[in-house]
Amino acid sequence: MDLPLDHLRTLAAVVDAGTLERAAAALGVTPSAVSQRIRAIEQRVGRIVLQRTKPVRATEAGEALVRLARQLAVLEHDARTALGDAAPAPRIPLAVNADSLITWFMPALIAVTERLPATFELHREDQERTAQLLQDGTVMAAVTAQREPVAGCLSTPLGRMRYVPIAQREFAARWFPDGLTRAALEGAPIVDFDANDSLQSRFARRHGARAAAPRHIISASAEFAQAVQMGLGWGMLLPGQFERGVADGSLVVLAEDTVEVPLWWQRWNLASPLLDLVSDAVADAARTSGAIA
C-alpha cells in the first residue's frame, strides 16, 4: 500500500481542523483538493477514513493513518535536524491529567524549550482516559494511569500521586462530629473534579459508605482545591494544596489513610531524539517533584 505523504498530512490536517474547508485554508490548497486526497486514501486502503460529522472524526482505520502521519512528521524533524537543515519548530501534542499539570508537569515543558524551539499542544484529560488520545493518534505521549502499553507504545512508571482527605475545619465539625462514620460519609457533600472522578467515592467506600454522597463538580484544579478549602465539600488534595491550611488550623486531615494513583508515561515506540528529549524531561520533573512519590 503506497500512501503519499502529502495525502497523510492532509488527513491529519482535516482531523485537527474539524472541517475540510479549514484544513484547506491551513494547507494552502482548495477544499476540492483536500476532498480528492481523502478519497484517494480511501480508495487505496479500501476503507472509509473519515466520518463526515461536524466536526469530522477519523474512523478506526483513519486513526491508524493519522497516527502514522504524525509519527512520520516526528521522524522527518529528527532527520532534518540530523542533517543540519533548518527544521521548523516541532509541535508536540501531549495528554496529561489536570492534577499533574498543576503540580509537577510544567517544568518538563520548560526544560524541553530550553533545548529546542518547540511548541506544545496539551490535552487535559483524566488519567484514566489520556491513553485513548495516544491510541487514536491525537498525541505522541501521555501521562496515564494505564500500565499496559497502548499498541505501538512504550510504558514507563513515573511514580504515585498521593491524595489526602481534607476538609475545612467548620465543615468537618458540622458533617463529621463523630469522625468518618458511614452516615457522615453518605451525607457530607463531596467535591469531584468531573463526572468521572472517583477518588472521593473510592475513599468513602473504603471507610464503609454504601450510598453516594451529594457531589459538587468543579472541573478546574485550582478552583477544586479552593472549593474544599472554603468548605463547599470535602475532597482529596495533593501535597502542596493543604499544608498551609492544616498549619494555621483552617483545614483538617480527615484520616491518615490516603488514595494513591500510580502514573505511567506512555509514548510512541519510535527511535526519536525528539521523543527521547521530551520523555527524559518528564521523568526528571516527576522524580524531583514533591507531588510524586
Side-chain angles (χ1 to χ4, degrees):
M1 179 177 60
D2 181 20
L3 292 172
L5 182 56
D6 62 334
H7 286 31
L8 290 172
R9 286 173 175 161
T10 299
L11 175 61
V14 171
V15 172
D16 288 340
T19 68
L20 272 66
E21 291 74 16
R22 286 200 291 265
L27 294 170
V29 298
T30 65
S32 176
V34 170
S35 181
Q36 290 172 10
R37 292 176 186 179
I38 299 301
R39 283 200 301 270
I41 291 176
E42 291 178 334
Q43 290 172 357
R44 287 174 182 269
V45 301
R47 302 179 189 181
I48 299 298
V49 299
L50 280 182
Q51 299 175 7
R52 269 64 173 184
T53 54
K54 292 185 178 181
V56 298
R57 297 183 60 186
T59 64
E60 184 175 353
E63 288 177 355
L65 296 178
V66 169
R67 187 165 61 248
L68 172 61
R70 291 179 174 150
Q71 290 174 346
L72 289 173
V74 171
L75 295 175
E76 180 183 8
H77 173 272
D78 289 339
R80 293 182 64 175
T81 300
L83 292 171
D85 289 350
R91 167 181 160 273
I92 303 175
L94 304 173
V96 60
N97 59 308
D99 285 339
S100 291
L101 186 59
I102 199 173
T103 56
W104 67 269
F105 192 78
M106 201 63 68
L109 308 186
I110 302 301
V112 172
T113 57
E114 288 175 348
R115 299 273 306 276
L116 187 73
T119 58
F120 291 94
E121 178 186 329
L122 294 186
H123 297 258
R124 191 188 68 180
E125 275 288 355
D126 184 85
Q127 62 268 11
E128 305 292 339
R129 303 196 300 275
T130 50
Q132 177 58 41
L133 297 177
L134 188 61
Q135 185 172 342
D136 64 22
T138 301
V139 300
M140 64 171 62
V143 175
T144 176
Q146 180 175 316
R147 176 178 182 176
E148 189 66 24
V150 172
C153 294
L154 299 174
S155 179
T156 56
L158 290 172
R160 295 173 178 270
M161 299 193 80
R162 183 173 293 123
Y163 292 83
V164 179
I166 300 294
Q168 188 240 24
R169 180 167 293 280
E170 288 76 13
F171 179 94
R174 174 187 178 187
W175 292 99
F176 297 103
D178 300 315
L180 298 183
T181 65
R182 173 184 168 187
L185 286 168
E186 291 177 351
I190 63 176
V191 181
D192 281 341
F193 183 78
D194 60 23
N196 298 295
D197 184 3
S198 64
L199 283 176
Q200 285 68 223
S201 58
R202 191 190 317 173
F203 177 87
R205 287 194 302 269
R206 182 189 295 176
H207 288 267
R210 297 180 184 176
R215 64 195 305 221
H216 302 286
I217 304 295
I218 311 290
S219 297
S221 292
E223 287 77 7
F224 174 95
Q226 185 179 28
V228 173
Q229 293 160 1
M230 295 180 66
L232 186 65
W234 70 271
M236 309 297 292
L237 300 185
L238 289 163
Q241 294 180 313
F242 61 84
E243 289 90 344
R244 181 178 299 179
V246 171
D248 66 22
S250 62
L251 300 178
V252 297
V253 178
L254 294 176
E256 295 302 318
D257 189 16
T258 61
V259 174
E260 293 189 353
V261 177
L263 294 179
W264 301 78
W265 174 249
Q266 293 210 32
R267 51 164 281 188
W268 290 337
N269 186 10
L270 294 178
S272 164
L274 175 60
L275 270 174
D276 290 345
L277 175 62
V278 175
S279 298
D280 289 345
V282 169
D284 288 343
R287 184 169 53 252
T288 58
S289 168
I292 299 285

